[in-house]
Amino acid sequence: MKSFKILILGLLVVFSAGCKTNNTNDFSTKDKNQVAIVNRKALFDGKNLDAWYIVVSDKKFTGKMDEYFVIEKGMIHVYPKQEHNSTQSFAGLFTKESYSNYKLTLEYKWGTKKFKPRENFVRDAGVIFHQFGPDVIWPYGVECQIQEGDTGDIWAIGSKVTSKISRVIRNYDPNGELITRGTPKEKFQRFHRSYDWENPSGWNKLVIEVKGNNAKYTLNGYLVNEVIDAQKYNELLGAYEPLTSGKIVIQAEGAELYYRNIFIEALDR
C-alpha cells in the first residue's frame, strides 16, 4: 500500500508539471533566448486604428486617414480607392506612443495597383522604428524595408547603424564583418538582407525584435538582418548617442498592400 501511494504521488507531480509547462496563457515564461515576454497587445486589432495617426508627404493634405489606410475584413488596405497608375503621395501611420525593448509582429501581402512616381519600380513599403525628430515623410529612425525581393533590408535614416556583412556577397551574414554606416550628412544608408524569403503572392510574417539600440529582423521564420548599436546624432553635443526608443511607423510608399495582425510584446532587457 505504501508503494502504491508513492506511485500515485509521483504521477500527480508529473501531471502537474506537464500542465504548467503547456499553459499557453502564461506570459511570464521565457523564450529560447531567455527573454521574459509580458504585456502583449494589439497595435491593430482588425477593428480600429486608435493607436495611430497619419502623416502624408503632401503638406497640403487635410483629409482623413481612410484616404490612404482603410480597414477591410480585419485588414489595413493601403491605397484602397486610388486608381492604378495615378499619381499618389507617400504616407505613414505613426504610433501615438513611443516604445523600447519589444517584439513587433505583423503580416503583409501585396496588392496589384502601383502608383506614380513609382509605377515602374518594385512594390515598396516598410516599418520604421525608434522614430525621432519631426513628423515628416520619411522621418529619422531605423527602417525594416518591406519591398518585393528585398524585405528585411536595413535603412539607417538620419541615424548610424552597424551590421554584419558577408565579405563575398556583401549581404547580411550572422558571421560576417562588422560594418558601420551613417554620418550627420548622409540621411539614407542601406544594409541588404541575407536572402529573399518573401512569399510574393500571399501573406508574409515579419518580426522585428528590438532590444535597446539593437534589433533583429525575421521574415517567415528566417533571420534576415540585424541592427547593432543604432545611434542618433546629438547636434548640441556634436556627438552620437544610443538610439533606444521611439515611435513605430507603417509605410505607404506608392504600392497597394495589406497589413494585418499587428502585435507588440514588451521584452525585459
Side-chain angles (χ1 to χ4, degrees):
M1 180 62 71
K2 184 175 182 181
S3 299
F4 179 76
K5 290 182 178 179
I6 292 174
L7 176 60
I8 294 298
L9 180 60
L11 289 174
L12 288 173
V13 170
V14 171
F15 178 77
S16 175
C19 291
K20 184 176 182 180
T21 301
N22 293 318
N23 183 0
T24 56
N25 295 320
D26 184 7
F27 289 106
S28 66
T29 58
K30 295 186 178 182
D31 64 11
K32 61 184 179 181
N33 296 317
Q34 296 300 300
V35 178
I37 299 174
V38 294
N39 301 329
R40 183 176 189 266
K41 68 176 184 178
L43 287 179
F44 171 63
D45 61 2
K47 299 177 182 179
N48 64 68
L49 293 170
D50 292 349
W52 309 81
Y53 63 94
I54 188 172
V55 176
V56 179
S57 60
D58 179 6
K59 298 186 182 303
K60 297 180 181 179
F61 174 77
T62 58
K64 296 181 179 179
M65 187 181 293
D66 62 9
E67 290 190 31
Y68 289 89
F69 304 94
V70 68
I71 298 173
E72 295 178 357
K73 299 179 180 179
M75 306 175 293
I76 302 173
H77 187 179
V78 181
Y79 295 111
K81 306 171 186 177
Q82 288 79 350
E83 183 180 351
H84 172 67
N85 212 34
S86 60
T87 300
Q88 299 297 329
S89 298
F90 298 158
L93 287 177
F94 287 57
T95 57
K96 294 177 180 178
E97 297 182 16
S98 293
Y99 299 93
S100 181
N101 301 311
Y102 58 87
K103 180 166 70 175
L104 177 73
T105 304
L106 63 81
E107 298 174 25
Y108 75 91
K109 179 177 71 171
W110 296 112
T112 58
K113 297 185 293 183
K114 296 166 71 174
F115 308 100
K116 297 178 180 179
R118 293 191 54 87
E119 74 277 18
N120 295 319
F121 294 86
V122 294
R123 292 174 176 84
D124 194 6
V127 179
I128 296 173
F129 62 95
H130 287 357
Q131 180 265 332
F132 65 97
D135 287 353
V136 296
I137 303 297
W138 295 114
Y140 292 155
V142 181
E143 178 182 349
C144 176
Q145 178 159 272
I146 296 175
Q147 182 173 276
E148 288 182 296
D150 292 310
T151 295
D153 284 1
I154 297 168
W155 279 99
I157 308 176
S159 57
K160 183 169 72 171
V161 166
T162 298
S163 192
K164 300 174 182 178
I165 308 299
S166 167
R167 290 179 178 270
V168 179
I169 61 174
R170 309 307 297 168
N171 285 37
Y172 171 71
D173 180 348
N175 300 310
E177 178 183 6
L178 289 174
I179 300 293
T180 301
R181 295 175 182 153
T183 72
K185 295 182 180 180
E186 298 172 312
K187 184 174 182 180
F188 297 99
Q189 289 292 309
R190 185 181 190 179
F191 296 83
H192 289 84
R193 79 288 176 279
S194 60
Y195 188 76
D196 176 21
W197 293 106
E198 182 183 62
N199 176 4
S201 60
W203 287 101
N204 294 274
K205 184 176 181 179
L206 180 64
V207 178
I208 304 173
E209 187 169 313
V210 182
K211 299 177 184 177
N213 61 343
N214 301 298
K216 291 184 177 180
Y217 304 166
T218 302
L219 178 64
N220 295 327
Y222 296 93
L223 176 66
V224 293
N225 224 329
E226 184 176 0
V227 173
I228 301 171
D229 192 25
Q231 300 183 40
K232 63 180 180 181
Y233 189 73
N234 187 321
E235 294 185 357
L236 294 177
L237 298 177
Y240 279 96
E241 59 188 15
L243 178 56
T244 60
S245 66
K247 296 178 181 178
I248 298 168
V249 183
I250 305 295
Q251 298 179 352
E253 200 167 354
E256 182 186 28
L257 76 157
Y258 303 84
Y259 295 110
R260 72 179 185 185
N261 295 332
I262 306 177
F263 291 96
I264 190 166
E265 300 174 2
L267 301 179
D268 284 349
R269 304 191 70 173

